[in-house]
Amino acid sequence: MKNPSRLINIISALANHSLNLEEVFSFALEKTLKLMGAQVGGLFLLDAPEKELDLKAYRPLNLPPRIIEQIKTIKLGEGYAGRVALSGQPIAQKNLAKFKEPSLIAAASLRLRSVIATPLKYQNKVLGSLVIFTDTVRIFNKEEINLLSIIGNQIGTAIEHARLYEKAMTAEDQLMKRHQEQLLLLNVGQMILSNLSSEEVLQNIVEASLKNLNMDVALIRIVEDKRLNIKTGAYRYPEEREQLEHLLVKNPLYLGQGVAGQVIQTGIPSLINEGEPNLSKLTVPGLVNYLKNRSWIVVPLKIKDKIIGVLILIAKRKLGLNDLSLAVAVANQSAIALENSFLFRKVLDEADEIESLYEQTISALASALDAREKKTSMHSMLVTQYALRMARELNNQELDLSTLIKSSLLHDIGKIGIPDVILLKGDELSEPEREIIKQHSRIGYNILQNVPALHKVAKIILAHQEWYNGNGYPQGLAKEEIPLEARIFAIADTLDAITSSRPYRAENYFEKARAEIVRYKGTQFDPKLVEVFLSIPKEEWEQIHMAVCGHSFKKHTRKKITSPTI
């Protein structure tokens, strides 16, 4: 038998992750057959009022229709599926040829020789049956019978979780769940922008998880050299820290070990509640006693297609699907936070470039921030975050994200050369004033072009007011002549310009920003990038806006303008 403990862990993870009954049935049956070295099997669900079992999954999928018809409904107490459902105990029979009862007609016609069956249970309540056949005479030993019984309990847990989820997810519950997730995403999003250091981001993740998810312990393990090393932790009680940190140092965890190792390999979150009977198989031996009376959740931290670690949450209470759902939401936002911190770290780690950047532009940046209106700095951060979100969706390997970040942050630096009487004007600009403010892209280029580390950034900033059809300024570039970075944050710039306050432009609906971006598709904006923008749900744009500004897009009346951006 190949690695039965791994199957138990996988099915346990499915029990706590999948909310789809069909997915539970198919996954469990297929993996159990493979483990037992069997060819034919069926999974049945008990209909208690009718006192019968209904076939919910079977293998192989090409069973003859007449066989499926014979076994699609089985009376409680009949056949092996009915017997184990009635008795609540597993059954194994090594030679079916000796028995002539009617319930074995289907098995005999397929030339099946041995059978093993177990009830599917949740907290001692029978929910159904799992029946496995082999085409050779086989004696199932005690270990195999016990293993199948454990698997039956795990499948039963998965079924009960899915049923409870269907009952719980009323409209009111969905609304409350969404509200909670939005609050959590807002908190985690604010963490993203408050720190660029990956160490600080990691610490903020565990502290926010502890506080917002009502946990006792929050830990992050990162994959390093085939080990899952603890990087940081947050603890509700001081004695908890001392006890657990000692155990963690004494008991290192390696890839493939315990639930954390399985989550790394499968990418499936896991929830283990207190009293778990197979705890010794789910963690390293030194942690069994500590976790015995605690519940815990393990969710993957995934950047793009790579799982870099896990977020572990521990509590002295029973945890449920809502806890798991919120933990997954936090992990997803945490992964974005970590990705952004890694991108910024990459920028900072380019030693020569960064040294030059800080030595040669610090005074320019300080002057720019001093000269700008207060909301312009927020504008630059919003444009940067919007542009990064589009870049992630675009997934273009040739796109330099560090250059995109710098360009987005500095794209309006040329406005330091625009007089306040024009830049801060509360009314709509006159045509001569528009011509003056159009100079800001050239001014920005002139400021940065002589800084070697920012030469590419300067060219992008020069082009950020170019139009896709060639009617922009100052060079009249068109289509791919415009740098990709400039084409991306042209859309990001417009989104923020219309949805955020300016002295010369009132706040407006996201829908109007979206409509204007669509309106200028192919004229001002790259059509392909407009499609990328449209593929991202409004809720994600709003989460970014909330994370930066602390509030969602607001509804105001906007004065009539002649183009979507200045």
Side-chain angles (χ1 to χ4, degrees):
M1 187 178 301
K2 297 182 180 179
N3 202 359
S5 64
R6 182 169 184 265
L7 176 65
I8 295 172
N9 284 337
I10 291 174
I11 294 179
S12 176
L14 177 63
N16 294 300
H17 171 66
S18 177
L19 302 176
N20 184 295
L21 280 171
E22 299 299 326
E23 184 177 317
V24 173
F25 298 151
S26 297
F27 179 94
L29 180 59
E30 188 170 305
K31 296 298 182 181
T32 304
L33 284 171
K34 184 175 181 181
L35 176 74
M36 303 297 290
Q39 295 75 40
V40 180
L43 193 150
F44 300 82
L45 202 58
L46 177 62
D47 184 346
E50 297 296 329
K51 295 184 179 180
E52 61 186 24
L53 294 106
D54 298 321
L55 180 67
K56 293 298 181 180
Y58 59 89
R59 293 292 187 276
L61 293 173
N62 61 351
L63 279 177
R66 60 184 177 81
I67 299 295
I68 298 172
E69 185 64 25
Q70 290 177 31
I71 63 175
K72 71 177 183 179
T73 302
I74 295 177
K75 292 293 182 182
L76 189 64
E78 292 183 2
Y80 285 97
R83 287 182 192 176
V84 297
L86 184 63
S87 68
Q89 300 297 323
I91 296 175
Q93 180 63 53
K94 69 177 180 180
N95 193 349
L96 299 179
K98 295 181 179 180
F99 296 85
K100 304 300 182 182
E101 65 179 80
S103 62
L104 293 177
I105 292 175
S109 64
L110 291 174
R111 300 182 183 277
L112 301 175
R113 296 294 176 261
S114 298
V115 64
I116 182 170
T118 190
L120 308 178
K121 291 183 178 180
Y122 177 75
Q123 295 183 349
N124 294 322
K125 178 183 176 182
V126 175
L127 304 180
S129 303
L130 176 65
V131 185
I132 304 295
F133 291 96
T134 64
D135 58 5
T136 58
V137 175
R138 177 173 168 183
I139 300 175
F140 292 96
N141 58 39
K142 185 177 180 180
E143 178 189 1
E144 290 172 316
I145 295 172
N146 288 339
L147 174 63
L148 195 66
S149 180
I150 292 170
I151 291 172
N153 290 339
Q154 297 289 3
I155 298 171
T157 300
I159 293 170
E160 187 64 15
H161 280 184
R163 284 175 167 174
L164 289 173
Y165 181 82
E166 290 174 356
K167 291 179 181 179
M169 291 304 288
T170 61
E172 185 177 352
D173 290 330
Q174 289 180 3
L175 185 62
M176 180 61 70
K177 177 175 176 287
R178 183 178 177 186
H179 176 65
Q180 289 177 313
E181 288 186 354
Q182 284 181 336
L183 289 177
L184 284 171
L185 293 175
L186 173 60
N187 289 336
V188 177
Q190 289 174 332
M191 289 189 322
I192 292 174
L193 299 172
S194 62
N195 290 291
L196 298 181
S197 162
S198 58
E199 291 79 10
E200 291 176 342
V201 169
L202 288 171
Q203 187 60 38
N204 282 338
I205 290 167
V206 293
E207 289 177 358
S209 299
L210 197 74
K211 178 181 178 181
N212 292 286
L213 298 182
N214 190 27
M215 297 291 171
D216 297 323
V217 178
L219 304 169
I220 288 180
R221 286 187 180 270
I222 299 295
V223 179
E224 293 177 333
D225 238 356
K226 297 184 179 180
R227 289 178 59 159
L228 290 173
N229 292 331
I230 294 290
K231 283 300 179 181
T232 189
Y235 307 83
R236 186 174 300 279
Y237 309 106
E239 61 270 20
E240 199 93 348
R241 174 189 291 272
E242 186 176 346
Q243 179 186 8
L244 188 53
E245 284 186 347
H246 173 73
L247 290 172
L248 292 171
V249 171
K250 193 176 178 181
N251 297 275
L253 190 66
Y254 294 87
L255 279 179
Q257 264 189 316
V259 173
Q262 292 297 332
V263 169
I264 291 287
Q265 290 182 337
T266 65
I268 301 174
S270 186
L271 184 157
I272 311 296
N273 263 313
E274 55 186 358
E276 166 61 44
N278 301 295
L279 191 56
S280 60
K281 297 178 180 179
L282 303 178
T283 187
V284 290
L287 292 174
V288 171
N289 287 334
Y290 173 82
L291 294 170
K292 192 185 317 181
N293 299 317
R294 292 171 172 85
S295 301
W296 35 300
I297 287 172
V298 184
V299 291
L301 294 173
K302 188 174 182 180
I303 295 180
K304 293 183 179 177
D305 294 326
K306 182 179 180 182
I307 297 175
I308 64 164
V310 290
L311 172 63
I312 303 171
L313 305 172
I314 305 172
K316 293 179 182 177
R317 63 181 176 90
K318 187 173 182 179
L319 299 175
L321 290 173
N322 191 52
D323 296 296
L324 182 64
S325 176
L326 292 175
V328 170
V330 169
N332 290 339
Q333 280 297 93
S334 299
I336 295 173
L338 288 170
E339 182 180 11
N340 283 351
S341 72
F342 293 159
L343 288 173
F344 278 105
R345 173 60 64 89
K346 179 184 176 182
V347 174
L348 296 176
D349 284 346
E350 295 169 353
D352 292 338
E353 178 182 351
I354 299 308
E355 182 179 352
S356 175
L357 173 66
Y358 277 95
E359 288 178 355
Q360 299 177 53
T361 65
I362 189 167
S363 59
L365 289 173
S367 298
L369 293 174
D370 288 340
R372 285 177 179 179
E373 52 186 312
K374 289 183 179 179
K375 290 190 177 180
T376 303
S377 59
M378 191 71 75
H379 166 69
S380 296
M381 183 59 75
L382 276 167
V383 170
T384 301
Q385 294 298 324
Y386 291 156
L388 279 174
R389 180 63 188 89
M390 286 187 62
R392 279 193 291 269
E393 194 71 20
L394 184 62
N395 195 24
N396 187 323
Q397 300 299 319
E398 296 180 5
L399 182 62
D400 185 346
L401 292 181
S402 64
T403 299
L404 178 65
I405 291 170
K406 295 175 204 170
S407 304
S408 300
L409 287 172
L410 298 174
H411 75 282
D412 274 341
I413 193 171
K415 287 186 178 179
I416 64 173
I418 304 301
D420 286 354
V421 69
I422 295 176
L423 185 64
L424 305 181
K425 184 178 179 181
D427 297 323
E428 187 163 341
L429 300 176
S430 66
E431 197 56 37
E433 289 169 337
R434 283 183 176 276
E435 290 305 315
I436 292 173
I437 208 166
K438 281 182 179 182
Q439 297 174 15
H440 79 278
S441 56
R442 174 70 69 179
I443 294 171
Y445 173 76
N446 291 337
I447 291 172
L448 300 177
Q449 67 168 326
N450 293 321
V451 182
L454 296 176
H455 189 66
K456 185 176 180 181
V457 171
K459 289 185 176 181
I460 294 169
I461 288 172
L462 179 64
H464 84 276
Q465 291 292 350
E466 300 287 356
W467 283 32
Y468 190 76
N469 65 0
N471 290 337
Y473 61 87
Q475 296 173 290
L477 301 179
K479 297 183 178 181
E480 278 69 36
E481 292 175 342
I482 307 169
L484 177 58
E485 294 87 349
R487 283 179 275 146
I488 289 174
F489 67 73
I491 295 175
D493 190 23
T494 296
L495 175 60
D496 182 55
I498 297 175
T499 58
S500 297
S501 293
R502 294 288 183 274
Y504 45 89
R505 192 157 302 160
E507 290 182 320
N508 208 340
Y509 268 139
F510 170 85
E511 285 77 10
K512 289 194 176 181
R514 186 181 187 274
E516 291 212 37
I517 290 170
V518 171
R519 176 186 170 196
Y520 285 84
K521 175 182 176 182
T523 55
Q524 182 174 0
F525 306 119
D526 184 332
K528 293 180 180 178
L529 294 179
V530 171
E531 293 303 318
V532 171
F533 165 78
L534 294 175
S535 71
I536 300 169
K538 174 189 173 181
E539 288 75 13
E540 291 193 34
W541 295 118
E542 191 157 49
Q543 285 167 12
I544 295 172
H545 194 280
M546 289 176 71
V548 177
C549 301
H551 60 78
S552 61
F553 298 132
K554 295 182 179 179
K555 179 181 177 181
H556 290 284
T557 302
R558 180 169 64 93
K559 294 182 179 180
K560 184 179 178 181
I561 56 176
T562 55
S563 68
T565 59
I566 288 178

